[in-house]
Amino acid sequence: MLTQDQERLIAATAPVVADHLDAITQRFYPLMFDRYPEVKPLFNDAHQQSGGQPRALAGAVLAYVQLRSDPRKARDTLATVVSKHVSLDIRPEQYPIVGECLMAAIGEVLGEAVTPEIAAAWSALYEELAGLLIELEDHRYREFAQRPGGWRGKRRFRIAATRQESAVIRSFVLEPEDGGAVADHQPGQYIGVRLVIDGEPVHRHYSLSDAPNGRSYRLSIKREPDGRASRHFHDVLQVGDTLELLPPAGDLTLAEGHEPLLLASGGVGQTPMLPLARHALARGRRVVYLHAALDAEHHAFADEVAALAAEHPGRLQTVTVHERGDGADHSGRVDRELLARVLPEGAHCYFVGPQGFMSAVDRALAELGVPDERRHYEHFGPSRPLDAA
């Protein structure tokens, strides 16, 4: 627990740290990777180079400083961080590494302004934050391990089947190598994957693209030209190959209630929408399913969505948008005018896709009067505000 003097020091120096937080986190990661190279595989190189990962860390630290006086809000704000950590199997013994390197980065960026007393106060704050995260993560680990078909840590799965869904998206059906049951996930969640590529461990997160069935998980992965893991899936892995999975995680799950839903996706952002749609329709809710793709060749799951609409006539409305070519309901891009035409009254809105797509949808929905608590989204990568695009 922080002393009163430390509380005052944190309050006094928080604005200065906030002003320099981007610089601190930009320095933090290279420093940590240099001192502790064994943790580097836990991080996505592309998110490091884009600045997404440092911004996510900066946002989490700053949010905790602002909300720590309200424990409930602090826990809610940290939910995304906890989910990512669970899907990476982050352990308590790794937190001191982060604390050491974060304080070193603060010292390097702020220099002599960081007195021993200020350093001790921020170290105590980090220990408080780390303790809370360890507690929340342990609860998630234990809860999932106790489910039928659950586990803790890594579990080996084999590729049982694959299917090409579009020009760039392929599905992989994964079954446990031990032949046991598979714990149900919440529709909309993602799962942590550990691969070994050229002898090096690589960690990634992918949405679970099918409803839970107790036997397998399905990942539907877009081949990115510069994506180390996605190219390995598409170009190397075959039926019968194995990989390791971490417990499912993520908070893009169905809001309780009977209100209609708008599920809007762009490109591979469709993957969490499929299980969300199935889950909502099974509960009798009305769903507007809007998907935007580059063209027909890049439009994945068209047959699967059509079959789902046939199973639920009158309750699933599909809307397709292609930037080019024919074969869709609308040409161009998703905009405010289109959303105004298809948005059900009182709907909860879920949207996932490229950053520009999500920012445009979020702005349009806000202009159409959809309140914050009815707009749900998740980034494929480090979470950050939509206005950061």
Side-chain angles (χ1 to χ4, degrees), residues 281 284-287 305-318:
L281 291 166
R285 296 173 74 165
R286 181 189 167 205
V287 175
V305 174
L308 192 60
E311 293 174 23
H312 301 277
R315 286 197 292 110
L316 176 58
Q317 176 187 352
T318 62

Side-chain angles (χ1 to χ4, degrees), residues 80-90 95 133 137 141:
T80 299
V81 176
V82 170
S83 290
K84 288 288 173 64
H85 285 186
V86 168
S87 69
L88 288 168
D89 195 30
I90 297 298
Y95 278 92
L133 288 170
E137 288 156 17
Y141 288 132

Side-chain angles (χ1 to χ4, degrees), residues 106-325:
I106 290 174
E108 286 189 19
V109 171
L110 298 184
E112 294 181 358
V114 183
T115 65
E117 293 78 16
I118 290 173
W122 281 92
S123 292
L125 179 76
Y126 173 78
E127 290 176 6
E128 179 182 281
L129 172 58
L132 177 57
L133 288 170
I134 289 168
E135 174 193 340
L136 296 173
E137 288 156 17
D138 183 65
H139 175 76
R140 293 268 195 102
Y141 288 132
R142 288 187 288 106
E143 188 277 329
F144 183 76
Q146 292 167 1
R147 295 184 195 177
W151 71 91
R152 184 160 184 164
K154 295 180 283 289
R155 186 179 180 187
R156 186 164 291 278
F157 280 67
R158 70 175 185 89
I159 300 175
T162 67
R163 175 185 168 89
Q164 196 69 28
E165 307 289 0
S166 77
V168 294
I169 297 173
R170 183 179 300 167
S171 288
F172 299 82
V173 177
L174 308 177
E175 296 178 348
E177 193 176 49
D178 59 25
V182 173
D184 287 350
H185 62 281
Q186 294 187 62
Q189 289 190 311
Y190 57 82
I191 199 163
V193 177
R194 182 184 182 275
L195 304 167
V196 177
I197 303 176
D198 298 329
E200 297 179 359
V202 175
H203 292 257
R204 291 293 186 269
H205 306 98
Y206 294 107
S207 292
L208 293 159
S209 62
D210 203 1
N213 58 35
R215 303 180 308 277
S216 64
Y217 293 131
R218 187 178 75 173
L219 309 180
S220 301
I221 298 170
K222 178 186 177 184
R223 187 188 188 283
E224 300 287 356
D226 298 319
R228 187 180 185 192
S230 69
R231 286 187 291 115
H232 187 74
F233 265 101
H234 279 254
D235 302 343
V236 178
L237 293 181
Q238 301 177 0
V239 171
D241 289 340
T242 61
L243 48 81
E244 293 177 317
L245 297 184
L246 283 302
D251 305 299
L252 189 75
T253 53
L254 190 64
E256 295 295 331
H258 303 285
E259 299 89 350
L261 304 176
L262 170 66
L263 305 181
S265 57
V268 76
Q270 190 174 190
T271 51
M273 299 305 179
L274 292 164
L276 280 172
R278 290 187 184 278
H279 189 49
L281 291 166
R283 280 153 180 74
R285 296 173 74 165
R286 181 189 167 205
V287 175
V288 174
Y289 193 101
L290 186 156
H291 180 62
L294 181 62
D295 52 30
E297 186 181 10
H298 290 79
H299 189 148
F301 306 109
D303 292 343
E304 187 170 329
V305 174
L308 192 60
E311 293 174 23
H312 301 277
R315 286 197 292 110
L316 176 58
Q317 176 187 352
T318 62
V319 182
T320 57
V321 183
H322 291 172
E323 283 192 38
R324 64 190 187 194

